[in-house]
Amino acid sequence: MKPALRRVAIVGAGIAGATLARRLTDVGIGVQVFEKSRGLGGRLATRRTDWTAPDGRVHRARFDHGAPAFAAHTPAFRRFMEQAQRAGRVTTWSPRLAPALPIAQDAAPLWLPMPDMPALCRHLLQGLDLRTGCTIDALRRGSGGWSLQSAGACAGDGFDAVVLAMPAPQAAVLLHPHQLGWAEHAARVVWQPGWVLMGVAEAADAAPYWDMGRPSAGPLSCVLRTDARPGRERIAGLTHWVAHATPAWSQQHLEEAPFEVQAALLNALQSALAEWQVHVTAWRHVAVHRWRYASALGPADPAVALERDSTHWWHEATGIGACGDAVGDALGDPLAGAGVELAWCSATALAAHMVGGQPGQPAP
Ligand SMILES: Cc1cc2nc3c(=O)[nH]c(=O)nc-3n(C[C@H](O)[C@H](O)[C@H](O)COP(=O)(O)OP(=O)(O)OC[C@H]3O[C@@H](n4cnc5c(N)ncnc54)[C@H](O)[C@@H]3O)c2cc1C
């Protein structure tokens, strides 16, 4: 008989942490979620920025600057998406590609949370005990259970279990004193960074009929006209762009000053738009964001003996666990690259593992 879990601390409010929090709550386990950012969603992100036009009017721009969308390959995740779609929380998106690009053979639609990327996580976390703007920098285990430290102070204590739901390199630091093997594995995962350019432009022909382009060369891998995507707000006369640098270019320029990165990526975006016959007359707002850990590639050293028999980690005796898009077997999975789905699958599997045998276990 498993000891009952009454209170669980979850660190990270991305799709993995939010999914786990909801699953545990639904079976009557108390959870508290700690998130270092002010907002929820992690890499399911939408940047909101106010900018001032030359006529003095203030506009709000919204850029989906993390994962642009995601796939649902597994039946369980597809069912979850279809339920969310019926509730109006996600929609499907079949990108309309910039001229002269071949039509994608894999025509399966992608999924897009509504009205912005973090909305899915906000919904899962609705009504739960959340602490945002709180970076957890150490975990302690004593006779009263787990306690979490932030900036030298106790952020929460008395937990039966703690789960880390964050990119592996960040989890490794916290895991190190408690689960050395996991920490070593997590630290060996190779991550691809991603620089992202966000821009608001006036365009002579304000509305190209496409919403995604893939430049054939140069530093950009993907250009999105975000305001033309389903459910996103349009402002007459303005176009909103998000341009993703390739992982190789991002790695090469990882530590470069943001203004230099911005100049290089804006130049590349303008060339790509000109090639696709979009004539920008003026850029009204431009910014860049660096994702140090955008997506996981896999352990740097495949020869290392890894614990690869699950999509998550759970040590029942001490009550510590980890889930996310780069934990356990997730990396060797045929879904590699499908980060959101991997993170969701990892969290649902961990939830089932944690509550296994307890009454009220949710249906898979
Ligand atoms: C630019 C980009 C493009 C992508 N494209 C795709 C795509 O096309 N398809 C796809 O499926 N996936 C894509 N992904 C990956 C996808 O977004 C992730 O796989 C998925 O969102 C991971 O969810 P997660 O919950 O595991 O982690 P995250 O979303 O990273 O959530 C972890 C959370 O933990 C918080 N946190 C970290 N450390 C601490 C701490 N010490 N204390 C408190 N909180 C902490 C973070 O702030 C974050 O909110 C992309 C990601 C990026 C950045």
Side-chain angles (χ1 to χ4, degrees):
M1 181 78 179
K2 295 187 179 207
L5 290 172
R6 284 155 311 187
R7 258 188 103 221
V8 176
I10 298 172
V11 188
I15 188 69
T19 300
L20 179 69
R22 173 52 57 195
R23 292 265 165 153
L24 297 184
T25 301
D26 286 350
V27 294
I29 297 173
V31 299
Q32 187 170 10
V33 180
F34 298 85
E35 167 57 51
K36 73 173 176 182
S37 303
R38 273 178 297 132
L40 309 176
R43 282 169 279 160
L44 283 176
T46 300
R47 165 85 58 92
R48 280 179 297 163
T49 316
D50 290 340
W51 59 277
T52 309
D55 64 5
R57 280 197 300 161
V58 176
H59 293 275
R60 164 130 321 169
R62 289 183 178 79
F63 304 102
D64 299 335
H65 68 304
F70 49 85
H73 298 91
T74 53
F77 191 54
R78 220 177 302 132
R79 272 200 305 278
F80 174 63
M81 281 298 109
E82 285 161 2
Q83 278 168 11
Q85 184 180 30
R86 282 193 290 278
R89 285 192 275 281
V90 296
T91 189
T92 52
W93 177 49
S94 300
R96 292 159 297 152
L97 296 176
L101 287 178
I103 299 297
Q105 290 302 303
D106 173 13
L110 299 169
W111 294 92
L112 198 57
M114 299 276 278
D116 56 21
M117 299 308 283
L120 196 56
C121 295
R122 279 200 307 271
H123 171 76
L124 288 167
L125 292 165
Q126 208 170 14
L128 305 194
D129 190 354
L130 259 178
R131 195 154 161 208
T132 55
C134 178
T135 301
I136 300 303
D137 45 42
L139 307 175
R140 296 210 180 121
R141 186 162 168 267
S143 54
W146 287 96
S147 67
L148 284 69
Q149 304 289 310
S150 180
C154 178
D157 59 6
F159 295 104
D160 303 320
V162 60
V163 175
L164 304 179
M166 61 180 68
Q170 293 166 323
V173 180
L174 298 173
L175 287 171
H176 197 270
H178 307 286
Q179 285 289 339
L180 190 58
W182 299 353
E184 284 174 348
H185 177 193
R188 282 195 186 92
V189 174
V190 181
W191 285 76
Q192 302 189 113
W195 274 109
V196 179
L197 178 85
M198 297 160 275
V200 179
E202 285 176 13
D205 44 357
Y209 59 85
W210 51 270
D211 51 18
M212 187 168 106
R214 289 200 181 276
S216 50
L220 297 178
S221 61
C222 175
V223 171
L224 300 162
R225 185 180 162 195
T226 55
D227 61 318
R229 304 204 305 156
R232 271 47 181 172
E233 191 190 2
R234 285 198 185 195
I235 302 173
L238 296 174
T239 50
H240 290 63
W241 302 94
V242 169
H244 293 260
T246 63
W249 192 93
S250 301
Q251 185 66 55
Q252 210 180 343
H253 299 265
L254 192 61
E255 305 302 342
E256 214 160 284
F259 77 91
E260 287 176 22
V261 169
Q262 183 170 310
L265 294 185
L266 185 58
N267 198 22
L269 176 58
Q270 293 188 112
S271 304
L273 292 179
E275 200 178 309
W276 296 324
Q277 314 296 325
V278 178
H279 303 295
V280 168
T281 50
W283 288 95
R284 292 297 176 209
H285 169 81
V286 184
V288 283
H289 180 86
R290 179 182 66 184
W291 295 99
R292 189 175 283 280
Y293 306 113
S295 51
L297 272 182
D301 178 2
V304 165
L306 299 175
E307 180 120 8
R308 310 230 357 174
D309 58 355
S310 75
T311 57
H312 58 274
W313 288 322
W314 175 236
H315 190 251
E316 193 164 307
T318 52
I320 186 167
C323 61
D325 59 349
V327 175
D329 259 354
L331 290 169
D333 201 278
L335 298 180
V340 175
E341 183 167 17
L342 284 176
W344 184 88
C345 290
S346 171
T348 50
L350 175 58
H353 200 161
M354 289 171 75
V355 306
Q358 291 194 2
Q361 184 173 345

